[in-house]
Amino acid sequence: MSTQINRSWQMSGFGLSRLSQVTGKMPQPGPHELLVRTKAVSLNYKDRLIVDGTLIPELTFPFVPTSDAVGEIVAVGSAVSRFQVGQRVLGQVIADWPDGDAPPVLHKHTLGSSLPGMLSDYVVFGEDAAVLAPPLLSDIEAASLPIAALTAWFAMAEATKPVAGQTILIQGTGGVSLFALQFARAFGLRAIVTSSSDEKLERAKKLGAWQVINYRTRPAWDEAALELTDGLGVNHILEMVGGDNARRSLSALAASGRLSIIGLLGAMELNFPIVPFMRNRIVVQGLSIGHRRSFERMNQAIEALGIKPVIDKVFGFDEVPQALQHLEKGPFGKIVISTT
Amino acid sequence: MSTQINRSWQMSGFGLSRLSQVTGKMPQPGPHELLVRTKAVSLNYKDRLIVDGTLIPELTFPFVPTSDAVGEIVAVGSAVSRFQVGQRVLGQVIADWPDGDAPPVLHKHTLGSSLPGMLSDYVVFGEDAAVLAPPLLSDIEAASLPIAALTAWFAMAEATKPVAGQTILIQGTGGVSLFALQFARAFGLRAIVTSSSDEKLERAKKLGAWQVINYRTRPAWDEAALELTDGLGVNHILEMVGGDNARRSLSALAASGRLSIIGLLGAMELNFPIVPFMRNRIVVQGLSIGHRRSFERMNQAIEALGIKPVIDKVFGFDEVPQALQHLEKGPFGKIVISTT
Amino acid sequence: MSTQINRSWQMSGFGLSRLSQVTGKMPQPGPHELLVRTKAVSLNYKDRLIVDGTLIPELTFPFVPTSDAVGEIVAVGSAVSRFQVGQRVLGQVIADWPDGDAPPVLHKHTLGSSLPGMLSDYVVFGEDAAVLAPPLLSDIEAASLPIAALTAWFAMAEATKPVAGQTILIQGTGGVSLFALQFARAFGLRAIVTSSSDEKLERAKKLGAWQVINYRTRPAWDEAALELTDGLGVNHILEMVGGDNARRSLSALAASGRLSIIGLLGAMELNFPIVPFMRNRIVVQGLSIGHRRSFERMNQAIEALGIKPVIDKVFGFDEVPQALQHLEKGPFGKIVISTT
Amino acid sequence: MSTQINRSWQMSGFGLSRLSQVTGKMPQPGPHELLVRTKAVSLNYKDRLIVDGTLIPELTFPFVPTSDAVGEIVAVGSAVSRFQVGQRVLGQVIADWPDGDAPPVLHKHTLGSSLPGMLSDYVVFGEDAAVLAPPLLSDIEAASLPIAALTAWFAMAEATKPVAGQTILIQGTGGVSLFALQFARAFGLRAIVTSSSDEKLERAKKLGAWQVINYRTRPAWDEAALELTDGLGVNHILEMVGGDNARRSLSALAASGRLSIIGLLGAMELNFPIVPFMRNRIVVQGLSIGHRRSFERMNQAIEALGIKPVIDKVFGFDEVPQALQHLEKGPFGKIVISTT
């Protein structure tokens, strides 16, 4: 431990103006905990909603936001058996979800929500809530995994079974979507990517998209998806928006199709017409990240497949407000803060 | 074949007034078909919607409605190998769904919809679209199975896994709901039944309901369901209504809860708030009856468990209009036409 | 804590003669641990194999054997959040298996194996490795659950899906087998029980067995099972013996049948002919107890279903050697030590 | 139909010497059948066992062997609705298995076994027992799919869920094994291939094998597999041999590992030690090809992934005996007869 000083970005209230850098004491790990010197922290859109006060109105202050970090273990509690000093780890965001079913009440132990966030020099993980970072990834790349990659992986490889040759429609080109695109390719799925930008769609094609749809020039993107699939519809759609967009998703789905609800970028409601829902035997599933075992399986796959996360932009530790503002710009991939 | 005359109830247009009894020629079975003398036909609520012109506006006339029949095989086609004359069979309503995934386009071969219905002395089944009737059931009882029982069975035993000790909420006391209640009891599930009638709830208790809720005296039945489950929520809900009722269903569900959409007695829309949907990792699934293999498994279970279908009222072949009107009265169990 | 004295039955070497009662200090719970005053401890056949030195030859002494205990929490560690003093709990035998997949290396943290056993006044459980005992059960009954009931439950309700109306064959009438019989009944399965004793088979019938086979008078019990199932075979068999018995199990299985390997009372080998294995698409699965989440689900089911464990005989704390000898007699149900 | 003459290779008894080319009448399709002019027929090792009399001793003669054919529809029965003349189709080998569970009694309707085989100019398929051939494949390539590819696909994509990043061990480099290797790569799995030939292993590497083991120079190939997986073991093994080889497979498996029994090139027995079987919670599953729906899904995947079957050697219609003898030589990929 080179220093006893622990810098953090702390919210004293809602709004970017009330987020400021402070200096505090280094946390002490309990018997089953790891003290970790962070190397990089990635942002998710929900971090902006939390800073703005939209997502968790009942937050108590001061509060350090963000959930995704990679770092090096600098000390371990007396009872720790799963890890040792010097290892590079990622935090498991839903800390009390090791495997199988989620805890009955979610988010009682979630990083950057009910537990402190990651924008600090030093953070603490329970030894049961950490995983080794994939060796082939840089710190910047590894920091992008805990929410974005695991959400895509869980929807595509855990909550359902990927069947090679089938189609998946991925909305947008943010962090979750590009991981989904890379996994789709690795699983032998045909990925259709939607975006409002031809330039982003071009980049998605280079990452392996089978087909693309510009929903600005083709607002009835569900019809476009049906055309691309010979009228049969898409087998799986990752819903990032909600509201009327989810209605289009339903109409673009094949018989026995699946809609995974993983984002809430748009409306706060889901609406579906009931007759096609029954006739096509649609499955709609709400998802929230994933468990630690799936995180471990995903990291193994990322190593085996040589997947490299797509990073939109890297900011320094002093540039956190700029990074949070950049989230609004519709990045292509992940935004990461280097914390060293 | 004792007679060449074949009575049928035929629609010449929409509305009860255009449904009339006619006499025609007996159908001839093709090489892979069974000629069946019907013994009893049961009604489903969708039959009323079809007669009224609400459900299938594009129907062509003349058309014989209804889908559920039991009867005796009186002749078999030259290539038939699965059945023989004298056996008592039930028709598989979605005739081209033997097992596994449904056909990509549903209802191309569905009894009482794209195929002729059952209100005739003689009907024809493909040999791959029939199952033996459970020996312990009377004709009246057996006729109640093809849609109502199979819908409940498929939602509870095929599309998901019943876990003894868990809770299931069943809406209403119609045909599907009472089969669901009997299956729930047989699978070791705790069933909560809702109804607007205390008298029906009393009868549901006698059939094995663990708890009941009168949604007339307790319109916020979701809150009642949460109270009955110590605030944890219900594991599985069979949605019979849609619209705002489905919203209450979502709020009554436990974490990782499942909502099976099997009825459309109310609104034509499903609406859900997206945040609890994701947080609780809800699964909503649309269902439409089930496949032949599940029908066979269900019949085996009905025999093994000694389940007796609940029959609300039996009508004669000449009383079909009265029987269809009786559907409106909210029967407790099934309405059956004796066709002999 | 009424006393600081902690009695234990301790092995100083292999063999019943080297098992003796000793007095030691009461253990102290760590921050995430529970100190529990045991009330009752149940025996499993493997306890006898461990005392005799057959199952774990590499055991180090002194060692307190047995794995199943119920008791009352008398103190909790400083960081415990899931439990409080006064609650009645059962230990989760595979302590590091909370849910989902088992740990990669099993039995690194197993009660009565790599961790100390239960034959003491006071024992310690990790708070993540304990569950509430079902309130309706007595201490004697509750103590019978951790291995025997959970093994049966896991094989029948977690590793596969119970389909009501299907058949299951249960070998013998020991602890696991009688729980299996009770669960079979609760799930709507048709249970066939085998035994060498007509008297035990009679009692099995009273507990709900659909059919019974005396394998002494009918050594070709597989043929008997085929006859009972109209030549189709049994859907699921719980294998308790191995060796040639497992061969008979294979021959008694239906197409797509499942053989769950849960006991090793006989040979140390499994042998199958490969052609019927492939032709019938048999699934054979090895099992070892189950995870904590399944323990919780099972307890919920035991409560909901009103299942009462079958207890063969209860011994006092001073009678442990006699109880272990009684295991050899082929008990009907569980053997329990009252530790108070 | 350009000709009424139908050449066939017919067995008049067991042994290659009793297989001869004969000329007969063209078969006539029934109402639900397709008449198909074959283009290519592929061989499987079991064809040799059938010709030799080892596999089906009760065969009746004359008998046309082999099961895998591609051809063009030249006539359809009067009731056919799924296909039309001119389409290129493959026969579904287990003709009465459309989807879901297999028929209770297997091989009552299997091509080249209970039904006539494919070594004819003209053959007949039921319309429910045929699938469209993948357009991108040549006739020679397409003919290799019905048994070899579908067996590998069913074991890897239907009977279980492929998890990208996990390991699979594939025994040998015959037809099934090379399809398994190509699917493994497409699903993101790490494939270990075993063979007795370094030259074949070199070719397997070029096809995407992650690691290879020469079991001639390393007879304890299970130990080699454990080394390659850091001692954790392999997640899934495709067993092609049986006997002692299956014992090594068990020892090479990871915790919760799966052994798919798909070949019987060696012994007629499977033998496993019971303790590791239980401790590691191993699943062993017997498999026999797959159902029609999986065939359709596989063909879709083959198209989407651009998979090209590996053909060892092509023979002319007059060279069937030579082709059957070539089977003994341990081909690298499939042996195909061009029938035009």
Side-chain angles (χ1 to χ4, degrees):
Chain A
M1 285 167 264
S2 55
T3 169
Q4 296 295 315
I5 302 170
N6 187 29
R7 297 175 302 160
S8 296
W9 281 90
Q10 218 173 54
M11 295 165 63
S12 60
F14 290 123
L16 259 188
S17 63
R18 306 203 46 195
L19 179 70
S20 56
Q21 208 182 129
V22 298
T23 303
K25 286 204 306 182
M26 206 161 65
Q28 294 302 314
H32 283 281
E33 290 180 335
L34 318 173
L35 179 65
V36 170
R37 173 64 176 98
T38 63
K39 300 292 187 180
V41 170
S42 84
L43 301 185
N44 294 284
Y45 191 72
K46 64 96 192 157
D47 295 322
R48 185 63 205 261
L49 297 178
I50 288 175
V51 167
D52 289 349
T54 316
L55 194 64
I56 314 182
E58 68 276 17
L59 206 64
T60 53
F61 306 103
F63 181 76
V64 175
T66 81
S67 306
D68 293 7
V70 69
E72 186 185 327
I73 300 176
V74 292
V76 298
S78 56
V80 163
S81 65
R82 297 184 68 236
F83 293 101
Q84 55 199 44
V85 168
Q87 289 182 310
R88 192 172 68 140
V89 290
L90 291 155
Q92 157 65 14
V93 175
I94 302 180
D96 54 353
W97 191 9
D99 199 348
D101 278 2
V105 180
L106 204 69
H107 298 324
K108 281 178 73 177
H109 300 279
T110 295
L111 300 179
S113 162
S114 44
L115 296 174
M118 298 290 109
L119 279 171
S120 295
D121 287 332
Y122 294 93
V123 296
V124 162
F125 298 145
E127 70 164 327
D128 286 335
V131 302
L132 289 175
L136 293 179
L137 300 192
S138 70
D139 288 337
I140 297 298
E141 290 165 342
S144 70
L145 303 178
I147 287 185
L150 188 51
T151 297
W153 171 271
F154 204 85
M156 295 170 71
E158 306 273 346
T160 187
K161 173 168 126 167
V163 178
Q166 290 199 338
T167 46
I168 185 167
L169 187 143
I170 298 163
Q171 301 175 351
T173 56
V176 181
S177 298
L178 293 188
F179 278 115
L181 174 55
Q182 292 178 293
F183 290 140
R185 203 187 163 152
F187 301 165
L189 304 171
R190 287 177 151 159
I192 303 172
V193 176
T194 63
S195 168
S196 61
S197 151
D198 281 339
E199 182 258 337
K200 286 177 179 170
L201 290 174
E202 206 48 52
R203 294 170 73 185
K205 272 193 165 174
K206 287 192 186 121
L207 278 169
W210 171 58
Q211 301 284 354
V212 298
I213 303 171
N214 186 322
Y215 63 81
R216 181 159 298 163
T217 57
R218 187 77 192 265
W221 62 261
D222 48 337
E223 291 170 15
L226 285 166
E227 289 164 17
L228 292 171
T229 54
D230 300 326
L232 291 173
V234 177
N235 299 111
H236 190 182
I237 299 183
L238 303 184
E239 177 67 45
M240 305 294 293
V241 182
D244 281 345
N245 193 67
R247 244 182 134 74
R248 288 201 188 278
S249 294
L250 183 74
S251 118
L253 278 176
S256 307
R258 172 177 284 261
L259 184 59
S260 295
I261 310 294
I262 57 178
L264 68 174
L265 297 174
M268 285 291 149
E269 291 283 324
L270 289 171
N271 306 297
F272 304 113
I274 203 166
V275 172
F277 198 90
M278 290 173 69
R279 181 169 296 163
N280 284 333
R281 301 162 312 288
I282 298 302
V283 175
V284 182
Q285 177 163 24
L287 292 157
S288 44
I289 323 181
H291 52 61
R292 192 194 80 205
R293 178 79 68 144
S294 61
F295 201 166
E296 291 164 343
R297 279 195 281 256
M298 177 185 77
N299 286 353
Q300 188 179 25
I302 284 171
E303 281 287 295
L305 299 163
I307 287 178
K308 290 286 183 182
V310 178
I311 307 300
D312 180 87
K313 196 163 180 191
V314 181
F315 291 83
F317 190 76
D318 294 337
E319 300 171 304
V320 166
Q322 293 92 313
L324 282 162
Q325 279 173 317
H326 190 74
L327 268 180
E328 302 285 351
K329 297 194 177 156
F332 189 88
K334 293 291 292 180
I335 299 170
V336 185
I337 315 286
S338 173
T339 58
T340 53
Chain B
M1 285 170 265
S2 54
T3 172
Q4 296 294 317
I5 303 170
N6 187 29
R7 298 174 302 160
S8 295
W9 281 92
Q10 219 174 53
M11 295 165 63
S12 60
F14 290 123
L16 258 187
S17 63
R18 304 198 53 191
L19 180 70
S20 58
Q21 209 182 129
V22 300
T23 304
K25 284 204 307 184
M26 205 162 62
Q28 294 302 313
H32 284 282
E33 289 179 337
L34 318 173
L35 180 65
V36 171
R37 174 64 175 96
T38 64
K39 299 293 186 179
V41 170
S42 82
L43 302 186
N44 294 283
Y45 191 72
K46 64 97 191 154
D47 295 322
R48 185 64 206 260
L49 297 177
I50 288 174
V51 168
D52 289 348
T54 316
L55 194 63
I56 314 181
E58 68 276 18
L59 206 64
T60 54
F61 306 103
F63 181 76
V64 176
T66 80
S67 307
D68 293 7
V70 70
E72 186 185 328
I73 300 176
V74 291
V76 299
S78 57
V80 163
S81 65
R82 297 184 69 237
F83 293 100
Q84 56 199 44
V85 168
Q87 289 182 310
R88 193 172 66 139
V89 291
L90 291 155
Q92 157 64 14
V93 176
I94 303 180
D96 55 351
W97 190 10
D99 199 349
D101 278 2
V105 180
L106 203 68
H107 298 324
K108 281 178 75 177
H109 300 280
T110 295
L111 300 179
S113 161
S114 45
L115 297 174
M118 298 291 109
L119 279 171
S120 296
D121 286 333
Y122 294 92
V123 297
V124 162
F125 297 144
E127 70 165 327
D128 287 335
V131 302
L132 289 175
L136 294 181
L137 300 192
S138 70
D139 289 338
I140 298 297
E141 289 165 343
S144 70
L145 303 179
I147 287 185
L150 189 50
T151 298
W153 172 270
F154 204 85
M156 295 169 70
E158 306 273 346
T160 187
K161 172 169 127 168
V163 178
Q166 291 197 339
T167 45
I168 185 166
L169 187 142
I170 298 164
Q171 301 175 353
T173 57
V176 181
S177 298
L178 292 189
F179 278 116
L181 174 55
Q182 291 178 293
F183 291 140
R185 205 188 159 151
F187 302 165
L189 303 171
R190 287 177 150 159
I192 303 172
V193 176
T194 64
S195 169
S196 62
S197 152
D198 281 340
E199 183 258 336
K200 286 177 179 169
L201 290 174
E202 205 49 51
R203 294 170 72 185
K205 273 192 165 174
K206 286 191 186 121
L207 279 169
W210 171 59
Q211 301 283 354
V212 298
I213 302 172
N214 187 322
Y215 64 79
R216 182 159 296 162
T217 57
R218 187 78 193 266
W221 62 261
D222 49 335
E223 290 170 16
L226 286 165
E227 288 163 17
L228 291 171
T229 54
D230 300 328
L232 290 173
V234 177
N235 300 110
H236 191 182
I237 297 182
L238 303 184
E239 177 67 44
M240 304 294 294
V241 183
D244 280 344
N245 192 68
R247 245 183 133 73
R248 287 201 189 277
S249 293
L250 183 75
S251 117
L253 278 175
S256 307
R258 170 178 286 261
L259 185 59
S260 295
I261 309 295
I262 58 178
L264 68 175
L265 297 174
M268 285 291 151
E269 291 281 324
L270 288 171
N271 306 295
F272 304 113
I274 204 167
V275 171
F277 199 90
M278 291 173 67
R279 182 169 296 162
N280 283 334
R281 300 163 312 290
I282 298 303
V283 174
V284 182
Q285 177 163 23
L287 292 157
S288 44
I289 323 181
H291 51 61
R292 193 195 79 205
R293 177 77 68 142
S294 60
F295 200 166
E296 291 164 343
R297 278 194 281 256
M298 178 185 76
N299 286 353
Q300 189 179 26
I302 284 171
E303 281 287 295
L305 299 163
I307 288 177
K308 290 287 182 182
V310 179
I311 308 300
D312 180 87
K313 196 164 180 189
V314 181
F315 291 83
F317 191 76
D318 294 338
E319 299 172 305
V320 165
Q322 294 90 315
L324 282 161
Q325 280 173 317
H326 190 74
L327 267 179
E328 302 285 352
K329 297 195 178 154
F332 189 88
K334 294 289 292 177
I335 298 170
V336 184
I337 315 285
S338 174
T339 58
T340 53
Chain C
M1 285 170 266
S2 55
T3 171
Q4 295 295 317
I5 301 170
N6 187 28
R7 297 175 303 159
S8 295
W9 280 91
Q10 219 174 52
M11 296 165 64
S12 59
F14 289 124
L16 260 187
S17 64
R18 305 197 54 191
L19 180 69
S20 57
Q21 209 182 127
V22 299
T23 303
K25 285 202 308 181
M26 204 163 63
Q28 294 301 314
H32 283 281
E33 290 179 337
L34 317 173
L35 179 66
V36 170
R37 174 63 176 96
T38 63
K39 301 290 188 182
V41 170
S42 83
L43 300 186
N44 295 284
Y45 191 71
K46 63 97 190 156
D47 294 323
R48 185 64 204 261
L49 298 177
I50 287 174
V51 168
D52 289 348
T54 316
L55 194 64
I56 314 182
E58 68 276 17
L59 206 64
T60 53
F61 305 104
F63 181 76
V64 176
T66 81
S67 306
D68 294 8
V70 69
E72 185 185 328
I73 301 176
V74 291
V76 299
S78 58
V80 164
S81 65
R82 298 184 69 236
F83 292 101
Q84 55 199 44
V85 168
Q87 290 182 311
R88 192 172 68 140
V89 289
L90 291 155
Q92 157 65 14
V93 176
I94 303 180
D96 55 351
W97 191 9
D99 199 350
D101 279 1
V105 180
L106 203 68
H107 298 324
K108 281 177 73 176
H109 300 280
T110 295
L111 299 180
S113 162
S114 45
L115 297 175
M118 298 290 109
L119 278 172
S120 296
D121 287 333
Y122 294 92
V123 297
V124 162
F125 298 145
E127 70 164 327
D128 286 335
V131 303
L132 289 175
L136 294 180
L137 300 192
S138 70
D139 289 336
I140 297 297
E141 290 166 341
S144 70
L145 303 178
I147 287 184
L150 189 51
T151 297
W153 172 271
F154 204 85
M156 296 170 69
E158 306 273 345
T160 186
K161 172 168 125 167
V163 178
Q166 291 198 338
T167 46
I168 185 166
L169 187 142
I170 298 163
Q171 301 176 350
T173 56
V176 180
S177 298
L178 293 189
F179 279 115
L181 174 55
Q182 293 178 293
F183 291 140
R185 204 189 161 151
F187 301 165
L189 304 171
R190 286 177 152 160
I192 302 172
V193 176
T194 64
S195 169
S196 62
S197 152
D198 281 340
E199 183 257 336
K200 286 176 180 170
L201 291 173
E202 207 47 51
R203 293 170 73 184
K205 272 194 166 173
K206 287 192 185 119
L207 278 170
W210 172 58
Q211 302 283 354
V212 298
I213 303 171
N214 187 322
Y215 63 79
R216 181 160 298 163
T217 57
R218 187 78 193 265
W221 62 261
D222 49 335
E223 291 169 17
L226 286 165
E227 289 162 18
L228 292 171
T229 54
D230 299 328
L232 291 172
V234 177
N235 300 113
H236 190 182
I237 298 183
L238 303 185
E239 177 66 44
M240 303 294 294
V241 183
D244 281 344
N245 192 68
R247 244 181 134 74
R248 289 202 188 275
S249 294
L250 184 74
S251 118
L253 278 175
S256 308
R258 170 178 287 261
L259 185 59
S260 296
I261 310 294
I262 58 178
L264 68 174
L265 298 174
M268 285 291 149
E269 290 283 323
L270 288 171
N271 305 295
F272 305 113
I274 203 167
V275 171
F277 199 90
M278 290 172 70
R279 182 169 294 161
N280 284 333
R281 300 163 312 290
I282 299 302
V283 175
V284 182
Q285 177 164 24
L287 292 158
S288 45
I289 324 181
H291 52 60
R292 192 193 81 205
R293 178 77 68 143
S294 60
F295 201 167
E296 291 164 342
R297 279 195 280 255
M298 178 185 75
N299 286 352
Q300 187 179 27
I302 284 172
E303 282 287 294
L305 299 162
I307 287 177
K308 290 285 181 183
V310 178
I311 307 300
D312 181 86
K313 195 163 180 191
V314 181
F315 290 83
F317 190 77
D318 294 337
E319 302 172 304
V320 166
Q322 295 91 315
L324 282 162
Q325 279 172 317
H326 190 74
L327 267 181
E328 302 285 351
K329 299 195 177 155
F332 189 88
K334 292 291 291 179
I335 299 170
V336 184
I337 316 285
S338 174
T339 58
T340 52
Chain D
M1 286 169 265
S2 55
T3 170
Q4 296 296 316
I5 302 170
N6 187 27
R7 297 175 303 161
S8 295
W9 281 90
Q10 220 173 52
M11 295 166 64
S12 60
F14 290 123
L16 260 186
S17 63
R18 306 200 50 192
L19 180 70
S20 58
Q21 210 180 128
V22 299
T23 303
K25 286 204 306 183
M26 205 163 60
Q28 294 302 314
H32 283 282
E33 289 179 337
L34 317 173
L35 179 66
V36 171
R37 173 64 175 96
T38 62
K39 301 291 188 181
V41 171
S42 81
L43 301 186
N44 294 285
Y45 191 71
K46 63 98 191 155
D47 295 323
R48 185 64 206 261
L49 298 178
I50 288 174
V51 168
D52 289 349
T54 317
L55 194 63
I56 314 182
E58 68 276 17
L59 206 63
T60 54
F61 306 104
F63 181 76
V64 176
T66 80
S67 306
D68 294 7
V70 70
E72 185 184 328
I73 300 175
V74 292
V76 299
S78 58
V80 163
S81 66
R82 298 184 67 238
F83 293 101
Q84 55 199 44
V85 167
Q87 289 182 312
R88 192 172 68 140
V89 290
L90 291 156
Q92 158 65 14
V93 176
I94 303 179
D96 56 350
W97 191 9
D99 198 349
D101 278 1
V105 180
L106 204 68
H107 299 323
K108 282 177 72 176
H109 301 279
T110 294
L111 301 180
S113 161
S114 46
L115 297 174
M118 299 291 109
L119 278 172
S120 295
D121 286 334
Y122 293 92
V123 296
V124 162
F125 298 145
E127 71 165 326
D128 286 335
V131 303
L132 290 175
L136 295 180
L137 300 192
S138 70
D139 289 337
I140 298 297
E141 289 165 342
S144 69
L145 303 179
I147 287 184
L150 188 51
T151 297
W153 172 272
F154 204 85
M156 295 169 68
E158 306 273 345
T160 187
K161 173 168 124 168
V163 178
Q166 290 198 340
T167 45
I168 185 166
L169 186 142
I170 298 163
Q171 300 175 353
T173 56
V176 181
S177 298
L178 293 188
F179 278 115
L181 174 55
Q182 291 178 294
F183 291 140
R185 202 187 162 153
F187 301 165
L189 303 172
R190 286 176 151 159
I192 302 172
V193 176
T194 64
S195 169
S196 61
S197 151
D198 280 341
E199 183 257 337
K200 285 177 180 169
L201 290 174
E202 205 49 51
R203 293 171 73 186
K205 272 193 166 173
K206 285 190 186 121
L207 279 169
W210 171 59
Q211 301 283 354
V212 297
I213 302 172
N214 187 322
Y215 64 80
R216 182 159 297 163
T217 56
R218 187 77 193 266
W221 61 262
D222 49 336
E223 290 170 16
L226 286 165
E227 288 163 17
L228 290 170
T229 53
D230 300 326
L232 290 173
V234 177
N235 300 111
H236 191 182
I237 297 182
L238 303 185
E239 177 66 45
M240 304 294 294
V241 184
D244 280 345
N245 192 67
R247 246 184 133 72
R248 288 202 188 277
S249 294
L250 183 75
S251 118
L253 278 176
S256 306
R258 171 178 286 261
L259 184 59
S260 295
I261 309 295
I262 58 178
L264 67 176
L265 298 175
M268 285 292 151
E269 290 282 324
L270 289 170
N271 306 296
F272 304 113
I274 204 167
V275 171
F277 199 90
M278 291 172 69
R279 182 169 295 162
N280 283 334
R281 300 164 312 290
I282 298 303
V283 174
V284 182
Q285 177 163 24
L287 292 157
S288 45
I289 323 181
H291 52 61
R292 193 193 81 204
R293 178 77 68 140
S294 61
F295 201 167
E296 292 164 342
R297 278 194 282 255
M298 178 186 75
N299 287 352
Q300 187 179 27
I302 283 172
E303 281 288 295
L305 299 163
I307 287 177
K308 291 285 184 185
V310 178
I311 308 300
D312 180 87
K313 195 162 178 191
V314 181
F315 291 84
F317 190 76
D318 294 338
E319 300 171 304
V320 165
Q322 295 91 314
L324 281 162
Q325 280 173 316
H326 191 74
L327 267 180
E328 301 286 352
K329 298 195 176 155
F332 189 88
K334 293 290 292 177
I335 299 170
V336 184
I337 316 286
S338 174
T339 58
T340 54

